[in-house]
Amino acid sequence: MRRSAKEAEKDAISAARLEALNLISDALDASEDGFAIWKAAKDKSGLVESFSLLLMNSTGADAAGHPQEELVGKLLTEIVPVEESKGLHKLFMKALTLGHSVKETVSAEYPGSAPIAYENTVVPFGNDLVFATYRDVSESATERNRLLWLSEHDALTGIANRSKLQVSLEQTVLELAKRGF
């Protein structure tokens, strides 16, 4: 039985799409940033209860501590610790509600490890999908905090310097003014 030209064309298009998807997947996996696509999981009344993972690159899966294959289809609360999942849920909803991308840095502390910070960018597409990217900015956040401390304290003694004193005095005067003193 001989295939028609239309069937051969359909097969060629399907093969090209599959190759393109594989290239995109490889490109996402090569990135140092985490990428994920989440779908809103709605209750019977249509309200968003959570988000279900559709796709995550290997960097994102590594950050979550599980292989990619184990994460697809799971809810946000099953992948991310409860406190962080609340913040991400809120961020995803903000992007969907506003209809444009939102960016936020979220910090977390886990027992026995250094604090971590992720810069999250969430882009909505469609009515119930969000594309999220996240970058570990822990080192730069730690360095920024160190530089801020150094700008306000004597490096040798650790005592607040004139700059810190000036800021503290201004804040105290404002607080006293608010209280009517």
Side-chain angles (χ1 to χ4, degrees):
M1 191 169 176
R2 200 175 150 151
R3 292 179 8 161
S4 71
K6 285 198 180 242
E7 287 174 331
E9 184 180 348
K10 276 179 143 180
D11 289 345
I13 291 171
S14 293
R17 285 182 178 163
L18 182 59
E19 184 177 340
L21 286 174
N22 286 332
L23 285 171
I24 291 169
S25 178
D26 290 346
L28 290 175
D29 281 340
S31 174
E32 291 182 12
D33 294 343
F35 291 93
I37 297 175
W38 298 89
K39 180 174 177 52
K42 299 179 180 179
D43 64 13
K44 292 177 185 174
S45 64
L47 295 174
V48 177
E49 290 182 312
S50 187
F51 287 85
S52 175
L53 182 66
L54 298 179
L55 173 108
M56 183 177 279
N57 72 342
S58 58
T59 302
D62 290 345
H66 297 282
Q68 290 169 290
E69 308 81 45
E70 288 180 18
L71 297 174
V72 172
K74 289 193 174 185
L75 295 176
L76 180 61
T77 53
E78 297 174 305
I79 298 172
V80 180
V82 175
E83 286 306 310
E84 287 81 8
S85 70
K86 287 178 187 175
L88 287 173
H89 184 276
K90 190 174 170 182
L91 189 61
F92 293 175
M93 289 302 298
K94 184 177 180 180
L96 284 174
T97 303
L98 294 174
H100 61 76
S101 66
V102 292
K103 185 182 279 192
E104 186 175 295
T105 300
V106 177
S107 297
E109 291 189 38
Y110 299 101
S113 68
I116 57 171
Y118 283 99
E119 181 183 79
N120 298 287
T121 303
V122 180
V123 180
F125 59 100
N127 292 327
D128 60 355
L129 294 172
V130 293
F131 180 75
T133 65
Y134 39 100
R135 171 178 291 158
D136 185 346
V137 292
S138 303
E139 286 182 31
S140 61
T142 300
E143 184 63 13
R144 184 174 38 255
N145 290 338
R146 186 184 77 79
L147 291 173
L148 177 63
W149 188 89
L150 285 172
S151 73
E152 297 176 338
H153 296 82
D154 179 77
L156 182 61
T157 64
I159 297 172
N161 64 16
R162 184 174 36 172
S163 174
K164 177 70 173 176
L165 177 62
Q166 181 69 35
V167 169
S168 295
L169 283 173
E170 288 171 4
Q171 289 174 342
T172 302
V173 169
L174 286 174
E175 280 298 315
L176 290 173
K178 285 180 187 176
R179 294 181 189 172
F181 283 97

